[in-house]
Amino acid sequence: MAAGSAIQIPSRLPLLLTHESVLLPGSTMRTSVDSPRNMQLVRSRLLKGTSLRSTIIGVIPNTSDPTSDCDDLPNLHRIGTAALAVQVVGSNWPKPHYTLLVTGLCRFQILQLLKEKPYPVAEVQQLDRLEQFTNGHKSEEELGELSEQFYKYAVQLVEMLDMSVPAVAKLRRLLDNLPREALPDILTSIIRTTNQEKLQILDAVRLEERFKMTIPLLVRQIEGLKLLQKTRKSKQDDDKRAAGIRPSRRITHGSITEDEEEEEDHDDVVMLEKKIRTSSMSEQALKVCLKEIKRLKKMPQSMPEYALTRNYLELMVELPWNKSTKDRLEIRAARIVLDNDHYAMEKLKKRVLEYLAVRQLKNNLKGPILCFVGPPGVGKTSVGRSIAKTLGREFHRIALGGVCDQSDIRGHRRTYVGSMPGRIINGLKTVGVNNPVFLLDEVDKLAKSLQGDPAAALLEVLDPEQNHSFTDHYLNVAFDLSQVLFIATANTTATIPPALLDRMEVIQVPGYTQEEKIEIAHRHLIPKQLEQHGLTPQQIQIPQVTTLGIITRYTREAGVRALDRKLGAICRAVAVKVAEGQHKEAKPDRAEVGEGEDCKEHVTEDGKAESINDTADLALPPEMPILIDFHALKDILGPPMYDMEVSERLSQPGVAIGLAWTPLGGEIMFVEASRMDGEGQLTLTGQLGDVMKESAHLAISWLRSNAKRYQLTNASGSFDLLDNTDIHLHFPAGAVTKDGPSAGVTIVTCLASLFSGRLVCSDVAMTGEITLRGLVLPVGGIKDKVLAAHRAGLKRIIIPQRNEKDLEEIAVHVRQDLTFVLAGCLEEVLNAAFDGGFAVKARHEHLNSKL
């Protein structure tokens, strides 16, 4: 077919009935097909057809397809649009349907309906000329002043839009390249018009009539754009684009609502760009955001990347790039706040006050990286919150226990589905400032997995020389963390990688002494429990001697969590008694009068059970406060869990008390030994580690080499301690794994007691590493071990001489209660562990007479 010759549509066309939209020649429309006749048309004609003619159908507007095949066809609109089916997409959810993408070709008039089933087919007459146009085609006939006027308004409308948008630039070129008679239909399908107005344009067969009806629509659109330009002067180009043009390919159902939502979304994009330009983000971040906002404008909202890009830009705007809080640098006020919130913890308070003092002298000080290491329950987490309160900063806690994915720290790359920033950036977004106090809780419990090592990801975060340009994978731009005060907490440093530990300033937080626990209980724990249980000091009294009994007999811990729970149990029991007393009128003379054990906690000074006034008002406290004494403790908490008398376990030779350090604090540890006839084997039980097993072998070797010196013999009287003798060493609490070198002196003392038949002093505990030559080497955790011995009621502690410097960290009143023996060799240890010493037996040489 030659270029420029007329193209004829088939004289018989299958009809697609539509109701909610109007397809004009030259425009494209996406419509949903779910009625019986239309579905049959798609299946029989479009999906099974093999020629180009089979894809040409007639689209009839303003006509609903009946929901059943048995129903008759309604009156068909006389003018339709011949269309080319470009795409067919099928789906079964929520019900079977097809989505058609059709492009209008020309108008036609229905002459006669040939058949109605399975789909309507009609004989049609083509009304428009349909030609093949080349790029250089020009209309041969002049369309007069009407055509020129239409063209002028069309150009004015398009030039009011943002020409940087590709769709607008393409439309401007089409105005010059397309024939004038095709422009009314195309522009009507682009500008904002109702279906009734489009139907009138479709029915306008004469070209002159079509121009006359379209010009008012263009003028109305131009006036609307001018009004928008007056109300939105700051963002004219963007608002013109939002109001003046909309995509021609859209779902027909709810089309007006979708247009309104699109306009609102574009207004949000304009506001987002304004926020980006007015934010105080870094130059690099601003450059990236402006590039992304430009991509967002050109991106259809249906694309999955649209939501991802928008979420990214909103996060960038919300981040506190330069927003910070002003520190409170009054040292005296800070000391008062810290003392009110926490008792003891002198090291921590001293470090915080030092930071405040330096901040007064230097404003741009980088935030320190602190690591509080200590047993559970000593207040590591709560002191971090108090530090933030003292400085006047925002506080954010990040729990790292069990984290095994490095993306939790650095975030996910935006190429992944469901990507999000890491916990550091999320925390900054939450607090809204760039200088908060971040508490990295349980940093010693990070784990490795196939997703990477989060401890390695923390290296950049906790390095003061690197975190000024921390790069989250999601942001992909540098963020300054140098003003953040990072505080990490851990129970032990053994599981923290050396490279990470090297970046932090480690501050040891030891366990509390009994006196400190009593003060903490009466200053903080008891008032908190009374408030939580609705009690007042006029209803319950817990003397300090009772608190001491709870600490020594019902808890044995470095912190105060178990003590807090015991106090809560006491408050609950008292709350029951108070509630029963207030309801005595309804329930008189209950078992509390007849049963002595139910009223033991109401013991007063004269020994009689306390009674509560029957007519007491609910809001009034009882007449006498309920006094908690040792009898009440036994009734409420049960029999004591711990016995303070350790001398009972030292009633026979072969038992000694050692001191051990655990992540939960210091502990006392009994070492037991026994001997029996055998083949000279050494048996070790109690889940011992390799280091502790080696200490046991060192101890038996040293004793065997010095047996004659100390007159140590086996059961048969031989100085070879393993001659026909088996030795069994046991460390009780066999379910707990034990390891470390500090039990060496305890094992030597235990075995010396066994072979000498002498008892070790019942009030002595010891710790220290040994060598094969009998030297005592220093060990760690001295403060926790000494506090454990003090809690257990021991009086003398043997420690290595080189650990004397560690005694300065122990409170003065604790040192006054204990006697420390500084030992440099095992001989000094044995002399201190046994009553009267462990003297070396003098060896008398027998001289043979030569007479």
Side-chain angles (χ1 to χ4, degrees), residues 4-22:
S5 60
I7 301 175
Q8 295 293 326
I9 62 173
S11 59
R12 306 176 70 180
L13 286 179
L15 302 182
L16 179 71
L17 308 182
T18 62
H19 177 66
E20 298 182 357
S21 59
V22 178

Side-chain angles (χ1 to χ4, degrees), residues 753-819:
S753 171
L754 175 68
F755 288 112
S756 66
R758 300 177 60 185
L759 296 178
V760 180
C761 295
S762 61
D763 61 347
V764 173
M766 60 200 72
T767 182
E769 182 181 356
I770 62 171
T771 68
L772 199 56
R773 296 182 297 163
L775 300 178
V776 179
L777 302 182
V779 293
I782 291 296
K783 183 174 182 179
D784 289 323
K785 293 176 180 179
V786 170
L787 293 179
H790 187 258
R791 288 195 298 266
L794 300 172
K795 298 302 180 183
R796 280 198 298 165
I797 300 177
I798 303 173
I799 64 173
Q801 188 172 7
R802 291 164 61 181
N803 283 118
E804 183 179 6
K805 61 183 183 299
D806 297 320
L807 297 179
E808 298 178 0
E809 300 180 1
I810 303 172
V812 176
H813 65 273
V814 175
R815 282 186 285 175
Q816 292 175 350
D817 292 343
L818 299 173
T819 301

